[in-house]
C-alpha cells in the first residue's frame, strides 16, 4: 500500500509539471556580492519561482568574469547576471583562450537595469578626454568597475598616466588627498559611498561621459541634479546594462531555461511589486545593441528565431560592436 501511495504521488507531481509547463530540475543563478543588487535580484527570482513550486538556488560571486565561467562549468548553475560589456572585455583585453571560447556561446536571457558609470574627479577635468595623462583609479582587478574602465580607455584611445587597481574606498581616500585625479565606480545611483563620504569641501565633481565612441557602445545615461547633496547640476554619463545570461547549451538545460524565462516574463508585475526597486526600470523588450537573445528563450516567448546572418559565424556579437566603434 505504501508503495502504491508513493507511485500515486509521483504521478501527481509529474502531471503537474507537464500540465503547468514547469521546470523539472532545480536551477541555479550566480549573481554578485551579497550586499549588491545582482544578489537581491537573484533572491527575488528565487522567491518568485518558489510560488511556482520551482527551486532556484542563488549563489554570490566576485563579478561578471566569474559568472560567465560559472554558467558553463559549474554544476547546477544555468543562469548568471553580468554587465553588458563583459564579453567585449573578454574579447578585446583578456588573454585567457578558454574564457574567450566560453564567451562566444554566452547568450542573453533578458536585459535588466542600467548601472550608471560614475566618474568622480578633481575640479578642472571637464570630460572623459581630460583623463589623458592623469592618475585614475579603475577598481580592483576583475571587478565590474575595472573591466568597464579598461574598456572605455581602450575604445577611446585615451591614455592616462597611470591606472590604479584599488578598491573604491581607498580610491576615494586617495582622491580626496590629492594623490590621484579621478576614480571610476559603476553602480546604480545613488551610490552610498558618494552620498555619505563626499562633501562640497572636498572639491570633487562628477565628470561627464559623452565621448562618441563610448556612446556607440553604451546607452546614454544621466545622474540627476542633487542626486548627491554636493552635486548641483545633472551630469550626462554612460550606462552599463545588467544582463541575465545563460550558456548556449543547445539541448541540455535549454527547455528549463526557456520555461524559466517564460515564467519570469509572465510575472513581471509580481517582481515590480515585491522585488528590488530596480525591477521597475526593467524592460524585457529593450533592444540591447550587440546582444543576441538565447534561442531557447525566444522559443518559449513565442518570438521568431534570430537572424543568424546578422553576424559572422563564431563571432561574439558584443565584440563585433566594439570593433565597429573603433
Amino acid at each position: 500500500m505504501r508503495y502504491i501511495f508513493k507511485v500515486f504521488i509521483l504521478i501527481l507531481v509529474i502531471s503537474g509539471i507537464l500540465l503547468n509547463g514547469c521546470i523539472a530540475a532545480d536551477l541555479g543563478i550566480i549573481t554578485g556580492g551579497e550586499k549588491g543588487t545582482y544578489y537581491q535580484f537573484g533572491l527575488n527570482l528565487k522567491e518568485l519561482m518558489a510560488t511556482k513550486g520551482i527551486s532556484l538556488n542563488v549563489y554570490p560571486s566576485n563579478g561578471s568574469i566569474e559568472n560567465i565561467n560559472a554558467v558553463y562549468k559549474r554544476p547546477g548553475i544555468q543562469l548568471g547576471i553580468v554587465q553588458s560589456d563583459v564579453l567585449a572585455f573578454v574579447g578585446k583585453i583578456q588573454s585567457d583562450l578558454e574564457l574567450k571560447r566560453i564567451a562566444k556561446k554566452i547568450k542573453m536571457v533578458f536585459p535588466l537595469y542600467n548601472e550608471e558609470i560614475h566618474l568622480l574627479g578633481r575640479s578642472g577635468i571637464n570630460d572623459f578626454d581630460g583623463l589623458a595623462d592623469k592618475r585614475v583609479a579603475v577598481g580592483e582587478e576583475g571587478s565590474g568597475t575595472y573591466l568597464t574602465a579598461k574598456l572605455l580607455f581602450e575604445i577611446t584611445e585615451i591614455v592616462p598616466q597611470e591606472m590604479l587597481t584599488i578598491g573604491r574606498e581607498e580610491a576615494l581616500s586617495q582622491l580626496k588627498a590629492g594623490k590621484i585625479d579621478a576614480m571610476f565606480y559603476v553602480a546604480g545611483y545613488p551610490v552610498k559611498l558618494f552620498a555619505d563620504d563626499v562633501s562640497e569641501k572636498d572639491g570633487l565633481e562628477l565628470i561627464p561621459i559623452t565621448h562618441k565612441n563610448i556612446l556607440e557602445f553604451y546607452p546614454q545615461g544621466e545622474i540627476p541634479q542633487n542626486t548627491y547633496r554636493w552635486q548641483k547640476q545633472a551630469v550626462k554619463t554612460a550606462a552599463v546594462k545588467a544582463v541575465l545570461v545563460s550558456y548556449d547549451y543547445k539541448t541540455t538545460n535549454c527547455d528549463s531555461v526557456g520555461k524559466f524565462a517564460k515564467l519570469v516574463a509572465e510575472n513581471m508585475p509580481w517582481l515590480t511589486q515585491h522585488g528590488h526597486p530596480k525591477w521597475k526600470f526593467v524592460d524585457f523588450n529593450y533592444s540591447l545593441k550587440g546582444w543576441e537573445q538565447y534561442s531557447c528563450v525566444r522559443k518559449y516567448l513565442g518570438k521568431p528565431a534570430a537572424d543568424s546572418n546578422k553576424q559572422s559565424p563564431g563571432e561574439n556579437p558584443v565584440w563585433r560592436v566594439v570593433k565597429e566603434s573603433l
Side-chain angles (χ1 to χ4, degrees), residues 96-114:
D96 186 329
L97 294 180
E98 183 186 24
L99 192 60
K100 289 177 183 287
R101 178 177 58 82
I102 295 169
K104 289 179 179 179
K105 298 193 73 176
I106 295 293
K107 302 295 182 182
M108 178 178 70
V109 176
F110 290 122
L112 296 176
Y113 59 91
N114 280 352

Side-chain angles (χ1 to χ4, degrees), residues 1-9:
M1 179 64 71
R2 182 176 298 176
Y3 174 78
I4 295 173
F5 178 76
K6 288 182 178 179
V7 171
F8 176 71
I9 293 298

Side-chain angles (χ1 to χ4, degrees), residues 58-288:
V58 181
Y59 301 94
S61 84
N62 293 320
S64 296
I65 296 293
E66 179 181 346
N67 293 359
I68 64 173
N69 266 311
V71 295
Y72 169 67
K73 62 174 60 172
R74 278 180 57 177
I77 295 179
Q78 300 85 3
L79 299 154
I81 303 178
V82 302
Q83 288 184 190
S84 59
D85 53 357
V86 62
L87 300 184
F89 175 84
V90 171
K92 189 159 186 66
I93 296 174
Q94 275 280 341
S95 58
D96 186 329
L97 294 180
E98 183 186 24
L99 192 60
K100 289 177 183 287
R101 178 177 58 82
I102 295 169
K104 289 179 179 179
K105 298 193 73 176
I106 295 293
K107 302 295 182 182
M108 178 178 70
V109 176
F110 290 122
L112 296 176
Y113 59 91
N114 280 352
E115 300 177 88
E116 287 74 28
I117 303 175
H118 289 69
L119 177 55
L120 185 69
R122 305 201 64 76
S123 180
I125 304 176
N126 298 319
D127 53 27
F128 191 88
D129 288 20
L131 297 179
D133 298 321
K134 297 294 193 295
R135 302 183 75 233
V136 184
V138 296
E140 294 177 297
E141 189 167 356
S143 69
T145 292
Y146 171 83
L147 70 88
T148 295
K150 291 277 286 185
L151 196 53
L152 292 182
F153 284 123
E154 185 74 20
I155 64 178
T156 58
E157 298 183 346
I158 302 297
V159 181
Q161 180 186 106
E162 184 178 2
M163 287 187 277
L164 291 86
T165 53
I166 55 178
R168 53 185 176 266
E169 287 84 4
E170 183 180 352
L172 180 58
S173 176
Q174 291 200 26
L175 182 59
K176 291 165 74 171
K179 296 179 180 179
I180 62 174
D181 302 295
M183 65 173 288
F184 285 92
Y185 187 7
V186 180
Y189 68 78
V191 172
K192 183 175 175 57
L193 179 68
F194 294 166
D196 293 349
D197 297 339
V198 178
S199 66
E200 288 188 36
K201 68 179 182 181
D202 294 317
L204 304 177
E205 298 176 353
L206 288 172
I207 300 168
I209 300 178
T210 57
H211 194 287
K212 176 179 69 70
N213 285 7
I214 293 174
L215 298 183
E216 283 290 320
F217 181 47
Y218 293 91
Q220 179 75 77
E222 183 178 90
I223 302 174
Q225 67 181 97
N226 299 320
T227 295
Y228 306 101
R229 62 183 182 274
W230 43 268
Q231 177 210 349
K232 304 305 180 186
Q233 296 181 339
V235 177
K236 294 289 186 184
T237 188
V240 183
K241 278 283 183 189
V243 185
L244 181 63
V245 302
S246 187
Y247 185 81
D248 190 355
Y249 297 102
K250 296 299 184 186
T251 54
T252 308
N253 296 316
C254 177
D255 286 338
S256 291
V257 173
K259 291 173 183 177
F260 166 86
K262 186 173 187 290
L263 283 174
V264 172
E266 291 173 344
N267 290 276
M268 191 61 185
W270 187 95
L271 288 165
T272 57
Q273 181 179 354
H274 299 283
H276 189 282
K278 276 287 188 180
W279 280 108
K280 296 179 175 64
F281 298 94
V282 173
D283 177 6
F284 288 158
N285 294 315
Y286 180 85
S287 180
L288 187 56

